Amino acid sequence: MKALTIQIGILGRINVGKSSLMNFMTNQNTSIVSSVAGTTTDVVHKQMELNPLGPVTLFDTAGIDDASLLGEARIEKTQKAFDSSDIVLLMCETGNFGNFEKSIIKKTEKSKTPCVIVISKTDLKKPDDLFLEKLKKYTKYILLFSAFTSNRDNFLNALKKILMEILPDNYIENYLALRNIIKKGDTAVLVMPIDLGAPRGKIIMPQVQIVRHILDLNAASYTVQDTEYEIALQNLKTPPVIVITDSQAVKRIVLKTPADIKLTTFSTIYAADKSDIVEMAKGAAGLNNLCDGDKVLIAESCTHHASADDIGRVKLPKWIREYTGKNLEVKYMSGQNYLEDIENYKIIIHCGGCTLNRKGMLSRLNKAVEAGISITNYGIAISVFQGVIEKVLEVFPEALAAYKKALKFQF
Ligand SMILES: Nc1nc2c(ncn2[C@@H]2O[C@H](COP(=O)(O)OP(=O)(O)OP(=O)(O)O)[C@@H](O)[C@H]2O)c(=O)[nH]1
Ligand code: SF4
Ligand SMILES: [Mg+2]
């Protein structure tokens, strides 16, 4: 990886629609779009959050097909943008894939830079099978795009799917949701009740990982049980930048926390780190839309020894029935054989997936999303049951917006 964020260079002939794609993806008018050929003369870059992959930097470049129209300096800058690209989006219009495009493909092959071909202006002309077959010789990653008629979510989702395949594992794995919330020198209060479900003498993995992330961010964490929470708040000279609590104590902790302090749960942060918090939040809205007879799947990715009041087998089935007041068919499943009969379920409530890597968890989530089934995780579901979900999601504004939108859609 050439930088901390993934660098995506948009290349293509003059006037092919590069600046339009950049503006479409970032949802901003960062780059000037015009029918005058050679409008973009300098490299324009813009950072965006491509949830759940993390931050990416897009480079809009000057068209580089006709050197006579451009000064040497511009060509050099576009070449530099190419050199620092981890991925190239090569734009072409339908029917117009010639020596120029082939020379870019050659360069990407030489530098081992993955290349996605984006066919532009498809509202004017759609590619036929012959043209698509021709392009497939160069890359299996082909996207169709129109700045006027493409749906932004659909386009970004298709691109994300490709990126998931081509990005190196360490980029996907090392996502740190807290980096947008906690800064160097900040203090976070962590609330970890020691109840019957807590393992003797240990702190569970998601909590340990979050303590480590806070250390990585050069910030401080102050760990207490819920019984000492108020004293902890009083002891701090300045209020914490965030309170992160165990999900089962969340309602109690929200009630004891001043409204202007950010508050979320370990499970919410874990969902963002391990999978896609926006999809998980959207999925949580599905808990408000269950009817008698609906099937609910409670899925765990490891087969741990269950205690008498096990959360997946005992507590969650009880809470979801109490919350919805419906006669639901709740099935529990653990281990590898996840989602063999996925289409039968209305909603999946998944464990945190601490034994899976991020790619594994995202692939489970994507299977559900593609089948049109709501999916969320244990802790997020508990925040819904306890009536504090909107407070808990405030630290992830995009997820909160997705939750509210999904709710509206249902009623
Ligand atoms: N119909 C249609 N027109 C488009 C589309 N995308 C871009 N255009 C038009 O094509 C022209 C060029 O678009 P730009 O986005 O400026 O293209 P560019 O590749 O950045 O151009 P240069 O910077 O000059 O190389 C403008 O008139 C756009 O409105 C599209 O998807 N459909
Ligand atoms: S994989 Fe899931 S069920 Fe197993 S310990 Fe981790 S969170 Fe719990
Ligand atoms: Mg341009």
Side-chain angles (χ1 to χ4, degrees), residues 18-20 31-33 39-40 60-62:
K18 300 175 294 297
S19 301
S20 302
S31 266
I32 301 166
V33 168
T39 301
T40 307
D60 177 20
T61 63

Side-chain angles (χ1 to χ4, degrees), residues 195-215:
D195 58 18
L196 285 177
R200 190 183 276 255
K202 285 188 192 141
I203 294 177
I204 59 172
M205 177 98 88
Q207 296 174 340
V208 171
Q209 285 178 354
I210 283 170
V211 170
R212 171 60 203 253
H213 287 175
I214 294 171
L215 291 173

Side-chain angles (χ1 to χ4, degrees), residues 206 300-304 351-356 378:
E300 293 192 340
S301 40
C302 82
T303 45
H304 63 268
C351 74
C354 68
T355 56
L356 292 173
Y378 282 13

Side-chain angles (χ1 to χ4, degrees), residues 36-107:
V36 177
T39 301
T40 307
T41 55
D42 215 339
V43 175
V44 179
H45 58 91
K46 179 84 197 160
Q47 215 181 77
M48 70 180 285
E49 194 73 25
L50 203 54
N51 212 319
L53 297 174
V56 298
T57 305
L58 295 176
F59 290 97
D60 177 20
T61 63
I64 47 172
D65 53 336
D66 187 347
S68 64
L69 284 175
L70 298 168
E72 280 292 312
R74 292 179 201 167
I75 296 173
E76 209 173 288
K77 278 182 186 155
T78 294
Q79 177 66 41
K80 262 199 185 148
F82 176 87
D83 291 340
S84 57
S85 295
D86 296 304
I87 286 161
V88 162
L89 302 185
L90 169 59
M91 295 192 85
C92 70
E93 285 176 53
T94 298
N96 204 359
F97 192 91
N99 287 337
F100 164 70
E101 285 77 14
K102 285 177 201 163
S103 75
I104 300 222
I105 296 265
K106 258 212 181 106
K107 274 189 187 181

Side-chain angles (χ1 to χ4, degrees), residues 334-397:
S334 72
Q336 296 304 315
N337 51 343
Y338 167 73
L339 296 191
E340 274 159 5
D341 55 349
I342 185 168
E343 56 288 334
N344 293 327
Y345 295 99
K346 192 77 187 286
I347 191 164
I348 296 161
I349 309 178
H350 204 291
C351 74
C354 68
T355 56
L356 292 173
N357 68 5
R358 188 161 197 245
K359 263 195 166 171
M361 193 62 205
L362 277 169
S363 116
R364 284 178 165 231
L365 178 122
N366 287 340
K367 260 189 203 158
V369 171
E370 276 170 13
I373 294 155
S374 302
I375 179 164
T376 192
N377 80 1
Y378 282 13
I380 297 177
I382 291 170
S383 292
V384 173
F385 302 149
Q386 298 202 5
V388 292
I389 184 69
E390 296 199 6
K391 172 72 185 173
V392 161
L393 290 178
E394 262 171 21
V395 287
F396 297 111

Side-chain angles (χ1 to χ4, degrees), residues 198-301:
R200 190 183 276 255
K202 285 188 192 141
I203 294 177
I204 59 172
M205 177 98 88
Q207 296 174 340
V208 171
Q209 285 178 354
I210 283 170
V211 170
R212 171 60 203 253
H213 287 175
I214 294 171
L215 291 173
D216 285 338
L217 293 163
N218 295 100
S221 58
Y222 187 178
T223 306
V224 287
Q225 287 205 57
D226 51 340
T227 37
E228 281 66 55
Y229 176 61
E230 281 162 304
I231 298 173
L233 280 191
Q234 284 161 21
N235 284 351
L236 285 171
K237 273 198 205 131
T238 48
V241 69
I242 189 165
V243 174
I244 307 173
T245 176
D246 177 88
S247 297
Q248 294 190 54
V250 65
K251 189 174 178 183
R252 289 203 299 281
I253 298 300
V254 168
L255 290 173
K256 291 178 184 171
T257 307
D260 58 346
I261 297 182
K262 289 180 190 149
L263 187 152
T264 194
T265 64
F266 288 102
S267 295
T268 310
I269 304 277
Y270 211 61
D273 280 340
K274 281 291 266 202
S275 64
D276 185 340
I277 182 66
V278 174
E279 286 301 338
M280 288 275 190
K282 227 188 265 176
L287 292 166
N288 298 298
N289 194 30
L290 294 170
C291 305
D292 285 333
D294 278 346
K295 282 180 106 177
V296 175
L297 176 65
I298 295 182
E300 293 192 340
S301 40

